Amino acid sequence: MCKHRPTCPSAVSPDREAARLTVHHPEQGWSLLCNGVLLFEDTGELLPDGKIVAPHRVLPPAVAA
């Protein structure tokens, strides 16, 4: 899928999020990377083979009441 040099990480690489953006829709909360990964605003991912990667953002610690 990636046509530039050096090529981007594949969709199964641990660093797949480092691939270049091909389509970006921040108003809809998603971006398409050149390796075919759909990256969502909440850091979840949809891989080209249909596998889902759960969101992995770091949440701030809860504030004690």
Side-chain angles (χ1 to χ4, degrees):
M1 231 181 246
C2 179
K3 295 181 172 111
H4 46 273
R5 296 284 179 238
T7 58
C8 288
S10 73
V12 294
S13 295
D15 60 345
R16 64 182 156 258
E17 293 176 15
R20 292 187 188 182
L21 288 173
T22 57
V23 179
H24 184 56
H25 285 282
E27 73 282 358
Q28 296 177 1
W30 63 272
S31 298
L32 177 63
L33 305 179
C34 75
N35 58 6
V37 172
L38 271 172
L39 180 61
F40 295 96
E41 182 178 79
D42 68 355
T43 69
E45 300 170 14
L46 180 60
L47 304 183
D49 63 1
K51 290 183 182 166
I52 296 170
V53 177
H56 52 274
R57 66 179 171 207
V58 177
L59 297 175
V63 177

